[in-house]
Coordinates of all heavy atoms in Angstrom, one line a residue:
M1 N 0.9 -1.2 0.0 CA 0.0 0.0 0.0 C 0.9 1.2 0.0 O 1.9 1.3 0.7 CB -0.9 0.0 1.2 CG -2.0 -1.0 1.3 SD -3.3 -0.7 2.5 CE -2.6 -1.6 3.9
R2 N 0.5 2.2 -0.7 CA 1.2 3.5 -0.7 C 0.6 4.4 0.3 O -0.4 4.1 1.0 CB 1.1 4.1 -2.2 CG -0.3 4.2 -2.7 CD -0.3 4.6 -4.2 NE 0.0 6.0 -4.4 CZ -0.9 6.9 -4.6 NH1 -2.2 6.6 -4.6 NH2 -0.5 8.2 -4.7
D3 N 1.3 5.6 0.6 CA 0.8 6.4 1.7 C -0.3 7.4 1.4 O -1.0 7.8 2.3 CB 2.0 7.1 2.4 CG 1.6 7.7 3.7 OD1 0.9 6.9 4.5 OD2 1.8 8.9 4.1
A4 N -0.5 7.7 0.1 CA -1.6 8.6 -0.2 C -2.8 7.7 -0.5 O -2.7 6.6 -1.1 CB -1.3 9.4 -1.5
C5 N -4.0 8.1 -0.1 CA -5.2 7.4 -0.4 C -6.3 8.4 -0.5 O -6.1 9.7 -0.4 CB -5.5 6.4 0.7 SG -6.0 7.1 2.3
Y6 N -7.5 7.9 -0.9 CA -8.7 8.9 -1.1 C -9.8 8.3 -0.3 O -10.2 7.2 -0.3 CB -9.0 8.8 -2.6 CG -7.7 9.3 -3.4 CD1 -6.8 8.5 -3.7 CD2 -7.6 10.7 -3.7 CE1 -5.6 8.9 -4.4 CE2 -6.5 11.1 -4.3 CZ -5.5 10.3 -4.7 OH -4.4 10.7 -5.3
I7 N -10.5 9.3 0.4 CA -11.7 9.0 1.0 C -12.9 9.9 0.6 O -12.6 11.0 0.0 CB -11.6 9.2 2.6 CG1 -11.2 10.6 3.0 CG2 -10.5 8.1 3.1 CD1 -11.2 10.9 4.4
I8 N -14.1 9.5 0.8 CA -15.2 10.2 0.4 C -15.9 10.9 1.6 O -16.0 10.2 2.6 CB -16.2 9.3 -0.3 CG1 -15.7 8.7 -1.6 CG2 -17.5 10.1 -0.7 CD1 -16.5 7.6 -2.2
T9 N -16.1 12.2 1.6 CA -16.8 12.9 2.7 C -18.2 13.2 2.2 O -18.5 13.4 1.0 CB -16.1 14.1 3.1 OG1 -16.0 15.0 2.0 CG2 -14.7 13.8 3.5
A10 N -19.1 13.2 3.2 CA -20.5 13.6 3.0 C -20.8 14.8 3.8 O -20.6 14.9 4.9 CB -21.4 12.5 3.4
S11 N -21.3 15.8 2.9 CA -21.6 17.1 3.6 C -23.1 17.3 3.5 O -23.8 17.2 2.5 CB -21.0 18.3 2.9 OG -19.6 18.2 2.9
E12 N -23.7 17.7 4.7 CA -25.2 18.0 4.8 C -25.3 19.3 5.5 O -24.3 19.8 6.0 CB -25.9 16.8 5.6 CG -25.9 15.5 4.9 CD -26.7 14.5 5.8 OE1 -28.0 14.4 5.5 OE2 -26.2 13.9 6.5
A13 N -26.5 19.7 5.7 CA -26.8 21.0 6.4 C -26.2 20.9 7.8 O -25.7 21.8 8.4 CB -28.2 21.3 6.4
K14 N -26.3 19.7 8.4 CA -25.9 19.5 9.8 C -24.3 19.3 10.0 O -23.9 19.3 11.1 CB -26.6 18.4 10.5 CG -26.4 17.0 9.8 CD -27.3 16.0 10.5 CE -27.1 14.6 9.7 NZ -27.9 13.6 10.2
G15 N -23.6 19.3 8.9 CA -22.2 19.1 9.0 C -21.5 18.2 8.0 O -22.2 17.8 7.0
M16 N -20.3 17.7 8.3 CA -19.5 16.9 7.4 C -19.1 15.6 8.1 O -18.9 15.7 9.3 CB -18.3 17.6 6.9 CG -17.5 16.8 5.9 SD -15.9 17.6 5.5 CE -16.4 18.9 4.4
D17 N -19.1 14.5 7.4 CA -18.7 13.3 8.0 C -18.0 12.4 6.8 O -18.2 12.7 5.6 CB -19.9 12.5 8.6 CG -19.6 11.5 9.6 OD1 -18.4 11.3 9.9 OD2 -20.4 10.8 10.0
V18 N -17.3 11.4 7.2 CA -16.8 10.5 6.3 C -17.9 9.6 5.8 O -18.7 9.0 6.6 CB -15.6 9.6 6.9 CG1 -15.1 8.6 5.9 CG2 -14.5 10.5 7.3
Y19 N -18.0 9.3 4.5 CA -19.0 8.5 3.9 C -18.7 7.0 4.3 O -17.6 6.6 4.2 CB -19.0 8.6 2.4 CG -19.9 7.7 1.7 CD1 -21.3 7.9 1.6 CD2 -19.4 6.5 1.1 CE1 -22.1 7.1 1.0 CE2 -20.3 5.7 0.4 CZ -21.6 5.9 0.4 OH -22.5 5.1 -0.3
T20 N -19.7 6.3 4.7 CA -19.6 4.9 5.1 C -20.6 4.1 4.4 O -21.7 4.6 3.9 CB -19.7 4.7 6.6 OG1 -21.1 5.1 7.0 CG2 -18.7 5.4 7.4
I21 N -20.3 2.8 4.3 CA -21.3 1.8 3.8 C -21.5 0.7 4.9 O -20.6 0.5 5.7 CB -20.9 1.1 2.5 CG1 -19.6 0.4 2.6 CG2 -20.8 2.2 1.4 CD1 -19.4 -0.6 1.4
K22 N -22.6 0.1 4.8 CA -22.9 -1.0 5.8 C -22.6 -2.3 5.1 O -23.1 -2.6 4.1 CB -24.2 -0.9 6.4 CG -24.4 -0.7 7.8 CD -25.8 -0.7 8.2 CE -25.9 0.0 9.6 NZ -27.2 0.1 10.1
S23 N -21.8 -3.2 5.8 CA -21.6 -4.5 5.3 C -21.8 -5.5 6.5 O -21.0 -5.4 7.5 CB -20.2 -4.6 4.7 OG -19.9 -5.9 4.3
E24 N -22.7 -6.3 6.3 CA -22.9 -7.3 7.5 C -23.1 -6.7 8.8 O -22.6 -7.1 9.8 CB -21.7 -8.3 7.5 CG -21.6 -9.2 6.3 CD -20.5 -10.1 6.3 OE1 -19.8 -10.3 7.4 OE2 -20.1 -10.7 5.2
G25 N -23.9 -5.5 8.7 CA -24.2 -4.8 10.0 C -23.2 -3.9 10.5 O -23.4 -3.3 11.6
V26 N -22.0 -3.8 9.8 CA -20.9 -3.0 10.3 C -20.7 -1.8 9.4 O -20.8 -2.0 8.1 CB -19.7 -3.8 10.4 CG1 -18.5 -2.9 10.8 CG2 -19.8 -5.0 11.4
K27 N -20.6 -0.6 9.9 CA -20.3 0.5 9.1 C -18.8 0.5 8.7 O -17.9 0.4 9.6 CB -20.7 1.8 9.7 CG -22.1 2.2 9.8 CD -22.3 3.6 10.4 CE -23.7 4.0 10.3 NZ -23.9 5.3 10.9
N28 N -18.5 0.7 7.5 CA -17.2 0.7 6.9 C -16.8 2.0 6.2 O -17.6 2.5 5.4 CB -16.9 -0.5 6.0 CG -17.0 -1.8 6.7 OD1 -16.1 -2.2 7.3 ND2 -18.1 -2.5 6.4
V29 N -15.7 2.6 6.5 CA -15.2 3.7 5.7 C -14.4 3.1 4.5 O -13.7 2.2 4.6 CB -14.2 4.5 6.6 CG1 -13.5 5.6 5.7 CG2 -14.9 5.1 7.8
L30 N -14.8 3.7 3.3 CA -14.1 3.3 2.1 C -12.8 4.1 1.9 O -12.9 5.3 1.9 CB -15.0 3.5 0.9 CG -16.3 2.7 0.8 CD1 -17.1 3.1 -0.4 CD2 -16.1 1.3 0.9
I31 N -11.7 3.3 1.7 CA -10.4 4.0 1.5 C -10.0 3.5 0.1 O -9.9 2.3 -0.1 CB -9.4 3.5 2.5 CG1 -9.8 4.0 3.9 CG2 -8.0 4.2 2.2 CD1 -8.9 3.5 5.0
F32 N -9.9 4.4 -0.8 CA -9.5 4.1 -2.2 C -8.1 4.3 -2.5 O -7.5 5.4 -2.0 CB -10.4 4.9 -3.2 CG -11.8 4.6 -3.3 CD1 -12.7 5.2 -2.3 CD2 -12.3 3.7 -4.2 CE1 -14.0 4.9 -2.3 CE2 -13.6 3.4 -4.2 CZ -14.5 3.9 -3.3
E33 N -7.4 3.4 -3.1 CA -6.0 3.6 -3.5 C -5.8 4.6 -4.7 O -4.8 5.4 -4.6 CB -5.4 2.3 -4.0 CG -3.9 2.3 -4.2 CD -3.3 1.0 -4.5 OE1 -3.6 0.0 -3.8 OE2 -2.6 0.8 -5.5
K34 N -6.8 4.7 -5.5 CA -6.8 5.6 -6.7 C -7.9 6.6 -6.6 O -9.0 6.2 -6.3 CB -6.8 4.8 -8.0 CG -5.8 3.9 -8.3 CD -4.5 4.6 -8.7 CE -3.4 3.7 -9.1 NZ -2.2 4.4 -9.6
G35 N -7.6 7.8 -6.8 CA -8.6 8.9 -6.8 C -9.6 8.7 -7.8 O -10.8 9.0 -7.6
E36 N -9.2 8.2 -9.0 CA -10.2 8.0 -10.1 C -11.3 7.0 -9.7 O -12.4 7.1 -10.0 CB -9.5 7.5 -11.4 CG -8.4 8.5 -11.9 CD -7.0 8.2 -11.2 OE1 -6.8 7.0 -10.9 OE2 -6.3 9.1 -11.2
D37 N -10.9 6.0 -9.0 CA -11.8 5.0 -8.5 C -12.8 5.7 -7.5 O -14.1 5.4 -7.6 CB -11.2 3.8 -7.9 CG -10.4 3.0 -8.9 OD1 -10.7 3.1 -10.1 OD2 -9.4 2.3 -8.5
A38 N -12.4 6.5 -6.6 CA -13.2 7.2 -5.7 C -14.2 8.1 -6.4 O -15.4 8.2 -6.1 CB -12.4 8.0 -4.6
E39 N -13.7 8.8 -7.4 CA -14.5 9.7 -8.2 C -15.6 8.9 -8.9 O -16.8 9.4 -9.0 CB -13.7 10.5 -9.2 CG -12.7 11.5 -8.6 CD -13.4 12.7 -8.0 OE1 -14.6 12.9 -8.2 OE2 -12.8 13.5 -7.2
R40 N -15.2 7.8 -9.6 CA -16.2 7.0 -10.2 C -17.3 6.5 -9.3 O -18.5 6.4 -9.6 CB -15.6 5.8 -10.9 CG -15.1 6.0 -12.3 CD -14.7 4.8 -13.0 NE -13.5 4.2 -12.5 CZ -12.2 4.6 -12.8 NH1 -12.0 5.5 -13.6 NH2 -11.3 4.0 -12.2
Y41 N -16.9 6.1 -8.1 CA -17.9 5.7 -7.1 C -18.9 6.8 -6.8 O -20.1 6.5 -6.6 CB -17.1 5.2 -5.8 CG -18.0 4.4 -4.8 CD1 -18.2 3.1 -4.9 CD2 -18.6 5.2 -3.8 CE1 -19.0 2.4 -4.0 CE2 -19.4 4.4 -2.8 CZ -19.6 3.1 -3.0 OH -20.4 2.4 -2.1
V42 N -18.4 7.9 -6.6 CA -19.3 9.1 -6.3 C -20.2 9.4 -7.5 O -21.4 9.6 -7.3 CB -18.4 10.4 -6.0 CG1 -19.3 11.6 -6.1 CG2 -17.8 10.3 -4.7
I43 N -19.7 9.2 -8.8 CA -20.5 9.4 -9.9 C -21.7 8.3 -9.9 O -22.8 8.6 -10.2 CB -19.8 9.3 -11.2 CG1 -18.9 10.5 -11.3 CG2 -20.6 9.1 -12.5 CD1 -17.8 10.4 -12.5
M44 N -21.3 7.1 -9.5 CA -22.4 6.0 -9.5 C -23.5 6.4 -8.5 O -24.6 6.1 -8.7 CB -21.7 4.7 -9.2 CG -21.0 4.1 -10.4 SD -20.4 2.4 -10.1 CE -18.9 2.7 -9.3
L45 N -23.0 6.9 -7.3 CA -24.0 7.3 -6.4 C -24.9 8.4 -6.8 O -26.1 8.4 -6.6 CB -23.3 7.7 -5.0 CG -22.7 6.6 -4.2 CD1 -21.8 7.2 -3.1 CD2 -23.7 5.7 -3.7
N46 N -24.3 9.4 -7.5 CA -25.1 10.6 -8.0 C -26.1 10.1 -9.1 O -27.2 10.7 -9.2 CB -24.1 11.6 -8.7 CG -23.4 12.4 -7.6 OD1 -23.9 12.7 -6.6 ND2 -22.1 12.8 -7.9
E47 N -25.7 9.1 -9.8 CA -26.6 8.7 -11.0 C -27.7 7.7 -10.5 O -28.7 7.5 -11.2 CB -25.8 8.1 -12.1 CG -25.0 9.1 -12.8 CD -24.1 8.7 -13.9 OE1 -24.1 7.5 -14.1 OE2 -23.5 9.5 -14.6
D48 N -27.6 7.1 -9.3 CA -28.5 6.2 -8.8 C -29.7 7.0 -8.1 O -29.4 7.6 -7.1 CB -27.9 5.2 -7.8 CG -28.8 4.1 -7.4 OD1 -30.0 4.3 -7.3 OD2 -28.3 3.0 -7.0
E49 N -30.9 6.9 -8.7 CA -32.0 7.6 -8.1 C -32.4 7.2 -6.7 O -33.1 7.9 -6.0 CB -33.2 7.6 -9.1 CG -32.9 8.3 -10.3 CD -34.1 8.2 -11.3 OE1 -35.2 7.7 -10.9 OE2 -34.0 8.6 -12.5
G50 N -31.9 6.1 -6.2 CA -32.2 5.6 -4.9 C -31.5 6.4 -3.9 O -31.9 6.3 -2.7
Y51 N -30.4 7.0 -4.2 CA -29.6 7.7 -3.2 C -30.0 9.2 -3.3 O -30.4 9.7 -4.3 CB -28.1 7.6 -3.5 CG -27.6 6.3 -3.2 CD1 -27.5 5.3 -4.2 CD2 -27.2 5.9 -1.9 CE1 -27.0 4.0 -3.9 CE2 -26.7 4.6 -1.6 CZ -26.6 3.7 -2.6 OH -26.2 2.4 -2.3
I52 N -29.9 9.9 -2.1 CA -30.2 11.3 -2.1 C -29.1 12.3 -2.4 O -29.1 13.5 -2.1 CB -30.9 11.7 -0.8 CG1 -29.8 11.4 0.4 CG2 -32.2 11.0 -0.6 CD1 -30.3 12.0 1.8
V53 N -28.1 11.8 -3.0 CA -26.9 12.6 -3.3 C -27.3 13.7 -4.3 O -28.0 13.5 -5.2 CB -25.8 11.7 -3.9 CG1 -24.6 12.6 -4.3 CG2 -25.4 10.7 -3.0
G54 N -26.9 14.9 -4.0 CA -27.1 16.0 -4.8 C -28.3 16.9 -4.4 O -28.4 18.1 -4.6
E55 N -29.2 16.2 -3.6 CA -30.5 17.0 -3.2 C -30.1 17.6 -1.8 O -30.1 18.9 -1.7 CB -31.6 16.1 -3.0 CG -32.1 15.5 -4.3 CD -33.2 14.4 -4.2 OE1 -33.8 14.3 -3.1 OE2 -33.4 13.7 -5.1
T56 N -29.8 16.8 -0.8 CA -29.4 17.4 0.5 C -28.1 16.9 0.9 O -27.6 17.2 2.0 CB -30.5 16.9 1.6 OG1 -30.5 15.4 1.6 CG2 -31.8 17.4 1.2
L57 N -27.4 16.1 0.1 CA -26.1 15.5 0.5 C -25.1 15.7 -0.6 O -25.4 15.4 -1.8 CB -26.4 14.0 0.7 CG -25.1 13.2 1.1 CD1 -24.7 13.5 2.5 CD2 -25.5 11.7 1.0
E58 N -24.0 16.3 -0.3 CA -22.9 16.4 -1.3 C -21.7 15.6 -0.9 O -21.3 15.5 0.3 CB -22.5 17.9 -1.2 CG -23.4 18.8 -1.7 CD -23.7 18.8 -3.2 OE1 -22.7 18.5 -4.0 OE2 -24.9 18.9 -3.7
L59 N -21.2 14.8 -1.9 CA -20.0 14.0 -1.7 C -18.8 14.6 -2.4 O -18.9 15.1 -3.5 CB -20.3 12.6 -2.2 CG -21.5 11.8 -1.7 CD1 -21.7 10.5 -2.3 CD2 -21.3 11.6 -0.1
E60 N -17.7 14.5 -1.6 CA -16.4 15.0 -2.2 C -15.4 14.0 -1.9 O -15.4 13.3 -0.9 CB -16.1 16.3 -1.6 CG -17.0 17.5 -2.0 CD -16.4 18.8 -1.5 OE1 -15.3 19.1 -1.8 OE2 -17.2 19.5 -0.8
V61 N -14.4 13.9 -2.8 CA -13.2 13.1 -2.6 C -12.0 13.8 -2.1 O -11.7 14.9 -2.7 CB -12.9 12.3 -4.0 CG1 -11.6 11.5 -3.8 CG2 -14.1 11.5 -4.4
Y62 N -11.4 13.3 -1.1 CA -10.2 14.0 -0.6 C -9.0 13.1 -0.5 O -9.2 11.9 -0.2 CB -10.4 14.4 0.9 CG -11.3 15.6 1.0 CD1 -12.7 15.5 1.2 CD2 -10.8 16.9 0.9 CE1 -13.5 16.6 1.2 CE2 -11.6 18.1 0.9 CZ -12.9 17.9 1.1 OH -13.8 19.0 1.2
E63 N -7.8 13.5 -0.9 CA -6.6 12.9 -0.8 C -6.0 13.1 0.6 O -5.9 14.2 1.1 CB -5.5 13.4 -1.8 CG -4.3 12.5 -1.8 CD -3.2 12.9 -2.8 OE1 -3.6 13.8 -3.6 OE2 -2.1 12.4 -2.7
V64 N -5.7 11.9 1.3 CA -5.2 12.0 2.7 C -4.1 11.0 2.9 O -4.1 10.0 2.1 CB -6.4 11.7 3.7 CG1 -7.4 12.9 3.7 CG2 -7.1 10.4 3.4
P65 N -3.3 11.1 3.8 CA -2.3 10.1 4.1 C -2.9 8.9 4.7 O -3.6 8.9 5.6 CB -1.3 10.8 5.2 CG -1.7 12.2 5.2 CD -3.1 12.3 4.7
L66 N -2.5 7.8 4.0 CA -3.2 6.5 4.4 C -2.8 6.1 5.8 O -3.8 5.7 6.6 CB -2.6 5.3 3.5 CG -3.1 3.9 3.8 CD1 -4.6 3.8 3.7 CD2 -2.4 3.0 2.9
S67 N -1.6 6.3 6.2 CA -1.2 6.0 7.6 C -2.0 6.7 8.6 O -2.4 6.2 9.6 CB 0.3 6.2 7.8 OG 0.7 7.5 7.5
A68 N -2.3 8.0 8.4 CA -3.1 8.8 9.3 C -4.5 8.4 9.4 O -5.1 8.3 10.5 CB -2.9 10.3 8.9
V69 N -5.1 8.0 8.2 CA -6.4 7.6 8.2 C -6.6 6.3 9.0 O -7.5 6.2 9.8 CB -7.0 7.5 6.7 CG1 -8.3 6.8 6.7 CG2 -7.0 8.8 6.1
V70 N -5.8 5.3 8.7 CA -5.8 4.0 9.3 C -5.6 4.2 10.8 O -6.4 3.6 11.5 CB -4.8 3.1 8.6 CG1 -4.8 1.7 9.5 CG2 -5.2 2.7 7.2
E71 N -4.7 4.9 11.2 CA -4.4 5.1 12.6 C -5.6 5.8 13.3 O -6.0 5.3 14.4 CB -3.2 6.1 12.8 CG -2.9 6.3 14.3 CD -1.6 7.2 14.4 OE1 -0.7 7.1 13.5 OE2 -1.6 7.9 15.4
S72 N -6.2 6.8 12.7 CA -7.4 7.5 13.3 C -8.6 6.5 13.4 O -9.3 6.5 14.4 CB -7.8 8.7 12.4 OG -8.9 9.3 12.9
L73 N -8.9 5.8 12.3 CA -9.9 4.8 12.3 C -9.7 3.7 13.3 O -10.7 3.3 14.1 CB -10.1 4.1 10.9 CG -10.6 5.2 9.8 CD1 -10.6 4.5 8.5 CD2 -12.0 5.7 10.1
N74 N -8.5 3.2 13.5 CA -8.2 2.2 14.4 C -8.4 2.7 15.9 O -9.0 2.0 16.7 CB -6.8 1.6 14.3 CG -6.7 0.7 13.1 OD1 -7.7 0.2 12.6 ND2 -5.5 0.5 12.6
E75 N -8.0 3.9 16.1 CA -8.1 4.6 17.5 C -9.5 4.7 17.8 O -10.0 4.6 19.0 CB -7.5 5.9 17.5 CG -6.0 6.0 17.6 CD -5.4 7.3 17.5 OE1 -6.1 8.3 17.5 OE2 -4.1 7.4 17.4
K76 N -10.4 4.9 16.8 CA -11.9 5.2 17.1 C -12.7 3.9 17.0 O -13.9 3.9 17.2 CB -12.4 6.2 16.1 CG -11.9 7.6 16.4 CD -12.3 8.5 15.3 CE -11.6 9.9 15.6 NZ -11.8 10.9 14.7
G77 N -12.0 2.8 16.7 CA -12.7 1.5 16.5 C -13.5 1.3 15.3 O -14.5 0.5 15.3
Y78 N -13.2 2.1 14.3 CA -14.0 2.0 13.0 C -13.4 1.0 12.1 O -12.2 0.8 12.1 CB -14.0 3.3 12.3 CG -14.7 4.5 12.9 CD1 -15.3 4.3 14.2 CD2 -14.9 5.8 12.3 CE1 -16.1 5.4 14.7 CE2 -15.5 6.7 12.9 CZ -16.1 6.6 14.1 OH -16.9 7.7 14.6
S79 N -14.3 0.4 11.3 CA -13.8 -0.6 10.2 C -13.7 0.2 8.9 O -14.2 1.2 8.7 CB -14.8 -1.7 10.1 OG -15.0 -2.4 11.2
Y80 N -12.9 -0.4 8.1 CA -12.6 0.3 6.7 C -12.4 -0.8 5.7 O -12.1 -2.0 6.0 CB -11.5 1.2 6.7 CG -10.1 0.6 7.0 CD1 -9.3 0.1 6.1 CD2 -9.7 0.6 8.4 CE1 -8.1 -0.5 6.4 CE2 -8.4 0.0 8.7 CZ -7.7 -0.5 7.7 OH -6.4 -1.1 8.0
I81 N -12.7 -0.5 4.5 CA -12.5 -1.3 3.3 C -11.5 -0.6 2.4 O -11.7 0.5 2.0 CB -13.7 -1.6 2.6 CG1 -14.8 -2.4 3.4 CG2 -13.5 -2.4 1.3 CD1 -16.2 -2.5 2.8
Y82 N -10.3 -1.3 2.1 CA -9.4 -0.7 1.2 C -9.6 -1.2 -0.2 O -9.5 -2.4 -0.5 CB -8.0 -1.1 1.7 CG -6.9 -0.5 1.0 CD1 -6.5 0.9 1.3 CD2 -6.1 -1.1 0.0 CE1 -5.5 1.5 0.6 CE2 -5.1 -0.4 -0.7 CZ -4.8 0.8 -0.4 OH -3.8 1.5 -1.1
V83 N -10.0 -0.2 -1.0 CA -10.3 -0.6 -2.4 C -9.1 -0.3 -3.3 O -8.6 0.8 -3.5 CB -11.5 0.3 -2.9 CG1 -11.9 -0.1 -4.3 CG2 -12.7 0.2 -2.0
K84 N -8.6 -1.5 -3.9 CA -7.5 -1.4 -4.8 C -8.0 -1.2 -6.2 O -9.1 -1.4 -6.6 CB -6.7 -2.7 -4.7 CG -6.1 -3.0 -3.4 CD -5.5 -4.4 -3.3 CE -5.3 -4.9 -1.9 NZ -5.1 -6.3 -1.9
P85 N -7.0 -0.8 -7.2 CA -7.5 -0.5 -8.5 C -8.1 -1.8 -9.2 O -8.9 -1.5 -10.1 CB -6.1 -0.1 -9.2 CG -5.3 0.4 -8.1 CD -5.7 -0.4 -6.9
D86 N -7.7 -2.9 -8.9 CA -8.2 -4.1 -9.6 C -9.5 -4.5 -9.0 O -10.1 -5.5 -9.5 CB -7.2 -5.3 -9.5 CG -5.9 -5.0 -10.3 OD1 -5.9 -4.1 -11.1 OD2 -4.9 -5.6 -9.9
D87 N -9.9 -4.0 -7.9 CA -11.2 -4.4 -7.3 C -12.4 -3.8 -8.0 O -12.4 -2.6 -8.4 CB -11.3 -3.9 -5.8 CG -10.3 -4.5 -4.9 OD1 -9.7 -5.6 -5.3 OD2 -10.0 -3.9 -3.8
L88 N -13.4 -4.5 -8.2 CA -14.6 -4.1 -8.8 C -15.6 -3.7 -7.6 O -16.0 -4.6 -6.9 CB -15.4 -5.1 -9.7 CG -16.7 -4.8 -10.3 CD1 -16.6 -3.4 -11.1 CD2 -17.3 -5.9 -11.0
F89 N -15.7 -2.4 -7.3 CA -16.5 -2.1 -6.2 C -17.6 -1.0 -6.6 O -17.3 0.0 -7.1 CB -15.5 -1.3 -5.2 CG -16.0 -1.4 -3.8 CD1 -15.7 -2.5 -3.0 CD2 -16.7 -0.4 -3.2 CE1 -16.2 -2.7 -1.7 CE2 -17.2 -0.5 -1.9 CZ -16.9 -1.6 -1.2
I90 N -18.8 -1.4 -6.4 CA -19.9 -0.6 -6.8 C -20.8 -0.4 -5.6 O -20.8 -1.2 -4.7 CB -20.8 -1.2 -8.0 CG1 -21.3 -2.6 -7.5 CG2 -19.9 -1.3 -9.2 CD1 -22.2 -3.2 -8.6
P91 N -21.5 0.8 -5.6 CA -22.4 1.0 -4.5 C -23.4 -0.1 -4.2 O -24.0 -0.6 -5.3 CB -23.1 2.3 -4.8 CG -22.2 3.0 -5.9 CD -21.6 1.8 -6.6
P92 N -23.8 -0.4 -3.0 CA -24.9 -1.3 -2.8 C -26.2 -0.8 -3.3 O -26.4 0.4 -3.4 CB -24.9 -1.6 -1.3 CG -24.2 -0.3 -0.8 CD -23.3 0.2 -1.8
D93 N -27.1 -1.8 -3.5 CA -28.5 -1.4 -4.0 C -29.0 -0.5 -3.0 O -29.1 -0.8 -1.7 CB -29.3 -2.7 -4.1 CG -30.7 -2.4 -4.7 OD1 -31.2 -1.2 -4.7 OD2 -31.3 -3.4 -5.1
A94 N -29.5 0.7 -3.3 CA -30.1 1.7 -2.4 C -31.3 1.1 -1.6 O -31.5 1.6 -0.5 CB -30.4 2.9 -3.1
K95 N -32.0 0.2 -2.2 CA -33.2 -0.3 -1.5 C -32.8 -1.3 -0.4 O -33.6 -1.5 0.5 CB -34.1 -1.0 -2.5 CG -34.7 -0.1 -3.6 CD -35.4 -0.9 -4.6 CE -35.9 0.1 -5.7 NZ -35.6 -0.4 -7.0
K96 N -31.6 -1.8 -0.4 CA -31.1 -2.7 0.7 C -30.2 -2.0 1.7 O -29.8 -2.7 2.5 CB -30.4 -3.8 0.0 CG -31.3 -4.7 -1.0 CD -30.5 -5.8 -1.7 CE -31.4 -6.6 -2.6 NZ -30.6 -7.6 -3.3
V97 N -30.0 -0.8 1.5 CA -29.1 -0.1 2.4 C -29.8 0.3 3.7 O -31.0 0.7 3.8 CB -28.5 1.2 1.8 CG1 -27.7 1.9 2.8 CG2 -27.7 0.8 0.6

């Protein structure tokens, strides 16, 4: 793993948070190795009418140091999924979220 990575943040009227997905009942922060993959993921969310992205929720991709993100998530007891360029990772069905 390299030290730069990309995360998606979610901004609403009430503030900003890191975007998470639920997998097997656990919230996971998505950490992308490539910024292009994170941007594509956001585009897929924007284009899926089941998600409220764009109406009351804005998603942005940020480049951050991987070591700092992993350390912070571990300290807070958060889970994460590291998405590599070869991984096929698409948003879950909005009806099942």
Side-chain angles (χ1 to χ4, degrees):
M1 289 192 274
R2 48 191 288 260
D3 196 45
C5 68
Y6 301 84
I7 59 170
I8 300 170
T9 61
S11 299
E12 295 182 89
K14 61 183 178 185
M16 181 189 285
D17 201 0
V18 175
Y19 175 79
T20 61
I21 64 167
K22 241 183 204 179
S23 177
E24 299 178 11
V26 175
K27 282 187 176 182
N28 293 283
V29 174
L30 297 177
I31 300 174
F32 292 86
E33 187 172 310
K34 298 282 186 180
E36 302 86 29
D37 293 335
E39 293 288 347
R40 269 191 294 278
Y41 192 87
V42 168
I43 289 168
M44 287 187 275
L45 289 171
N46 283 327
E47 292 180 356
D48 187 331
E49 292 180 9
Y51 289 95
I52 59 168
V53 178
E55 296 172 16
T56 59
L57 180 70
E58 292 291 325
L59 299 178
E60 293 188 53
V61 175
Y62 285 96
E63 181 177 357
V64 292
L66 176 62
S67 56
V69 169
V70 170
E71 182 179 327
S72 177
L73 293 174
N74 287 337
E75 284 176 6
K76 294 176 181 174
Y78 290 4
S79 298
Y80 61 89
I81 297 172
Y82 187 77
V83 183
K84 299 178 200 162
D86 294 338
D87 295 341
L88 175 60
F89 206 84
I90 59 174
D93 184 345
K95 295 175 185 133
K96 295 180 180 177
V97 176

